[in-house]
Amino acid sequence: MTTLASATMPLAARLRRLFGNRAMLAGAVILTVVVLAALLAPAIAPYAPNKLSIVNKLKEPSLAHLFGTDEFGRDIFSRAIYAGRISLLVSLGVVAISTVLGIILGVAAGFFRSLDAPISRLLDAMMSFPDILLAIALVAALGPSLSTVILALGITYAPRLARIIRGQTLVLRELPYIEAAVAMGLPTWQILVRHVLLNLASPILVQSTFVFASAMLAEASLSFLGVGVSTDMPTWGTMLASGREYMNNAPWLMIFPGLAIVFSVLSLQLLGDGLRDLVDPRLAKES
């Protein structure tokens, strides 16, 4: 098990590997900057995100407008910062929902043999659809809004976590101490909480970072297609969509929101890869 192997790794070795992974540290730094900028948006943003100024429309980047302005004279820098709040909020909600659903489905399928087949078939059916198409279908059925986007993406990405948790639970279920706990007559909930879920913490954490990145990219895609959150809310996807018409004359309308998406998703991918390496038992043996 990944968690069992990593749990026996000396603290010094963990810290040495953690600070020796420059890619992971770079991802953590970028993500920290994005989070701080989103949290401090009211203090950092020089203008209100929806403040119109027609006389300043399509201004190039300058000291007055660091990222330029859009077709309505709105400051791109301010809108990009506030858009980060929406992306982070949606991604956190998606991770929460997909993790809860993934744990319930994955543990139930892996621990209870009678539930394995029906749950596995359900997960296979959901994963047979491309993520973005399933999300669009769910949003269309529920109606476009911030809450429905979070719910739709949470349901969409739950099978990813559920499949991984199921596989880990299948291994855990056959370990001697689990069999001993069952033989001693311990309540099932106690076995699941104390012995199964605790050992699933590391793989869940690692996969959650990848789901976070995927959710952020999916939210931008839905907003770009016009089926995401309300257009009144600034998002990186809607900024890209509105900037398409001015791509030749005002490329900054797409460059800066696009870079925000790229760096945010890249930071999460680097962080997830680093966490995965940190808890990988094969790497633990090498050190």
Side-chain angles (χ1 to χ4, degrees):
M1 286 299 300
T2 298
T3 53
L4 294 178
S6 60
T8 61
M9 188 190 307
L11 178 60
R14 289 188 186 184
L15 293 176
R16 186 167 58 252
R17 177 173 298 158
L18 174 63
F19 290 101
N21 192 329
R22 295 182 179 178
M24 179 181 176
L25 291 178
V29 170
I30 296 173
L31 182 61
T32 300
V33 172
V34 172
V35 172
L36 288 178
L39 293 177
L40 301 176
I44 297 176
Y47 305 94
N50 292 322
K51 181 181 179 181
L52 304 180
S53 179
I54 301 301
V55 295
N56 291 318
K57 68 177 183 178
L58 298 179
K59 292 289 186 180
E60 296 182 356
S62 63
L63 291 179
H65 301 281
L66 294 179
F67 291 175
T69 62
D70 63 8
E71 68 275 21
F72 298 110
R74 296 174 297 189
D75 184 64
I76 298 297
F77 178 69
S78 301
R79 288 178 61 78
I81 293 177
Y82 275 91
R85 304 181 107 186
I86 302 298
S87 293
L88 291 173
L89 176 62
V90 170
S91 300
L92 285 173
V94 171
V95 169
I97 293 175
S98 61
T99 299
V100 171
L101 292 177
I103 289 175
I104 293 173
L105 294 174
V107 171
F111 196 82
F112 303 102
R113 290 179 172 83
S114 60
L115 298 177
D116 190 11
I119 292 178
S120 295
R121 299 295 78 76
L122 173 63
L123 298 178
D124 291 340
M126 294 181 66
M127 295 184 70
S128 64
F129 293 94
D131 292 341
I132 192 65
L133 291 183
L134 181 59
I136 290 174
L138 291 173
V139 170
L142 299 173
S145 69
L146 181 62
S147 57
T148 54
V149 168
I150 294 175
L151 179 60
L153 291 176
I155 295 174
T156 299
Y157 291 114
R160 291 189 183 186
L161 284 164
R163 291 297 296 269
I164 293 172
I165 293 172
R166 171 188 173 273
Q168 299 281 0
T169 304
L170 286 173
V171 177
L172 283 171
R173 187 183 64 185
E174 305 301 328
L175 294 179
Y177 71 90
I178 298 290
E179 295 179 347
V182 174
M184 292 172 60
L186 292 179
T188 302
W189 69 267
Q190 189 173 351
I191 297 174
L192 293 177
V193 173
R194 290 188 177 182
H195 302 297
V196 176
L197 289 180
L198 286 180
N199 282 289
L200 291 174
S202 292
I204 290 174
L205 176 62
V206 172
Q207 291 303 316
S208 293
T209 59
F210 294 122
V211 171
F212 201 121
S214 299
M216 186 174 290
L217 189 59
E219 182 276 324
S221 300
L222 291 176
S223 297
F224 182 82
L225 295 173
V227 293
V229 302
S230 173
T231 54
D232 296 335
M233 300 180 181
T235 67
W236 292 329
T238 54
M239 293 173 69
L240 284 174
S242 62
R244 286 180 300 174
E245 300 178 8
Y246 306 93
M247 183 169 57
N248 293 328
N249 299 326
W252 57 87
L253 294 183
M254 298 190 68
I255 290 176
F256 293 111
L259 288 177
I261 297 173
V262 169
F263 280 110
S264 298
V265 174
L266 177 62
S267 68
L268 288 163
Q269 291 288 352
L270 292 175
L271 188 60
D273 287 338
L275 289 174
R276 182 178 57 191
D277 294 343
L278 190 63
V279 300
D280 195 322
R282 292 168 296 182
L283 297 178
K285 292 178 181 179
E286 293 175 3
S287 62

